[in-house]
Amino acid sequence: FGAGGTSIKQIILKRIAETSAATFGAMIYNHIPFCVTVELPWKDNREDVSRIPAGTYKLRKRLSSPSFKYPHWDILDVPGRTDCKVHKANWASQLKGCIAVAEAYEILADRPQEPGIADSAGALAELNEIAAEDLELELVVKDICPCGPASSC
């Protein structure tokens, strides 16, 4: 529970598909999807090359950091990992174990082998709007399909 006995807002990330290059999902608040996500594929939770394990995490808002000069979210207490965040990006190849949010999935003609996401800034603004004045959220990460390049999701 948060300050004054109020409950912490819960965001659910449902991972729905994976390729050899990326994992795709949707973030949900109050039973309503509000953005899409891209992460690295699963590589045994190895630092900088794998998405984080499914589980429940605390998100803490940061106004700035050495890596990002805009508001973003730290993902706290990820087993065996440091410096995981929710932030802006367009492709999984831009990530090092973080989660990028956006308004839509996108396949660009000049990058057909690397599907990505579009309007990352808009989705991060939505997450910040959901949080309102809250500086912490709960993130529940769920693997919905048997993620993996050979899966039939």
Side-chain angles (χ1 to χ4, degrees), residues 2-152:
T6 59
S7 62
I8 295 176
K9 293 175 183 168
Q10 185 181 77
I11 304 294
I12 297 173
L13 167 56
K14 291 187 177 183
R15 293 175 173 148
I16 57 174
E18 183 176 21
T19 69
S20 60
T23 302
F24 300 94
M27 278 195 174
I28 299 162
Y29 176 67
N30 274 348
H31 308 285
I32 300 171
F34 68 92
C35 73
V36 300
T37 64
V38 68
E39 302 172 80
L40 291 168
W42 180 250
K43 293 186 179 175
D44 298 319
N45 196 34
R46 293 194 322 255
E47 185 103 20
D48 294 339
V49 298
S50 177
R51 69 175 186 252
I52 65 173
T56 300
Y57 304 98
K58 184 180 288 186
L59 296 179
R60 182 171 293 146
K61 189 172 188 177
R62 291 186 67 177
L63 298 179
S64 181
S65 71
S67 301
F68 303 105
K69 304 302 180 202
Y70 56 84
H72 58 280
W73 295 84
D74 286 334
I75 307 169
L76 304 179
D77 302 322
V78 178
R81 304 287 286 279
T82 60
D83 209 28
C84 296
K85 302 180 182 312
V86 176
H87 62 80
K88 300 185 288 188
N90 296 104
W91 295 280
S93 62
Q94 296 172 308
L95 304 173
K96 293 186 175 185
C98 299
I99 300 169
V101 294
E103 295 294 320
Y105 298 115
E106 180 173 65
I107 299 175
L108 299 175
D110 62 338
R111 288 179 95 146
Q113 74 288 354
E114 187 176 18
I117 54 177
D119 192 5
S120 202
L124 192 58
E126 277 189 74
L127 179 58
N128 291 333
E129 187 176 307
I130 287 168
E133 299 301 315
D134 296 338
L135 298 179
E136 291 187 348
L137 300 170
E138 181 179 76
L139 176 66
V140 179
V141 180
K142 299 180 177 184
D143 291 332
I144 298 303
C145 75
C147 288
S151 70
S152 59

